[in-house]
Amino acid sequence: PRLAVGVGGARNFSTNRTRSTTGPSFALGTVDYTHAVADAVFKWAGFAAQAEWLWRGASVDALKGSDASGQRASEGTRAGWGYVGQASYLFERPFEVVGRYARLKAEDDAAAAFVSDTRDRGQELTAGLNYYAQGHALKVQTAWTARSAPGLKLDAADHTAQIALDASF
């Protein structure tokens, strides 16, 4: 058996980016973001399980000021938390089955679009099948993912399917 455990944290001071280091810029100022993450991976005899928790906090709920025309304006920050759980089993090479569940939730006072997106599509269920023709050097990966509101409402979910060929030289 193998077990790995990790924790991490970061602070981004005076960023003008909505997603801390990426995304559009704030027009009304800057914000400090604090990040925290913890994860664990367990592997044994072809079975693997992973769990991850993540959190991002903002120094203010919203930046307030005036826009170019002098009208009062507000820009919400993107604070929230989430978790991921994934399990897989590698059968006699070369096939692997994978299942993953993830949840993302915005803080109630975060940016309205972020709150709406995590409320409507903040839950994710994924199933996949992988074929390792030559280990990780040549593999085909497939996955089906459903993103939905809480409660696994699959009939109202956004469904995607993907197939990828990964070749390393």
Side-chain angles (χ1 to χ4, degrees):
R2 304 277 194 252
L3 176 66
V5 177
V7 295
R11 181 100 166 147
N12 192 346
F13 295 97
S14 299
T15 182
N16 67 343
R17 297 297 189 100
T18 59
R19 294 181 177 159
S20 190
T21 57
T22 65
S25 296
F26 287 119
L28 300 176
T30 63
V31 64
D32 297 342
Y33 279 117
T34 303
H35 305 262
V37 63
D39 67 5
V41 178
F42 174 78
K43 294 183 177 187
W44 183 51
F47 173 76
Q50 177 218 343
E52 181 176 356
W53 170 84
L54 51 107
W55 172 81
R56 177 170 56 207
S59 58
V60 295
D61 298 334
L63 298 168
K64 299 185 185 308
S66 300
D67 63 17
S69 65
Q71 298 294 315
R72 293 188 65 162
S74 176
E75 294 177 299
T77 57
R78 292 175 58 99
W81 56 272
Y83 54 87
V84 178
Q86 177 173 303
S88 65
Y89 186 79
L90 180 62
F91 292 92
E92 297 241 357
R93 292 190 186 266
F95 289 100
E96 178 184 41
V97 294
V98 179
R100 179 175 49 245
Y101 175 79
R103 177 77 171 101
L104 180 62
K105 175 139 181 17
E107 297 294 341
D108 292 335
D109 49 11
F114 185 49
V115 170
S116 174
D117 189 42
T118 60
R119 181 191 61 233
D120 297 343
R121 299 290 182 254
Q123 183 173 254
E124 184 176 288
L125 180 65
T126 300
L129 177 65
N130 302 323
Y131 174 74
Y132 296 92
Q134 292 181 357
H136 287 286
L138 180 61
K139 61 187 174 185
V140 177
Q141 296 179 288
T142 65
W144 159 81
T145 300
R147 289 186 68 210
S148 73
L152 287 177
K153 299 173 175 114
L154 296 180
D155 57 332
D158 290 337
H159 298 270
T160 59
Q162 64 184 32
I163 185 168
L165 172 65
D166 187 343
S168 301
F169 301 97

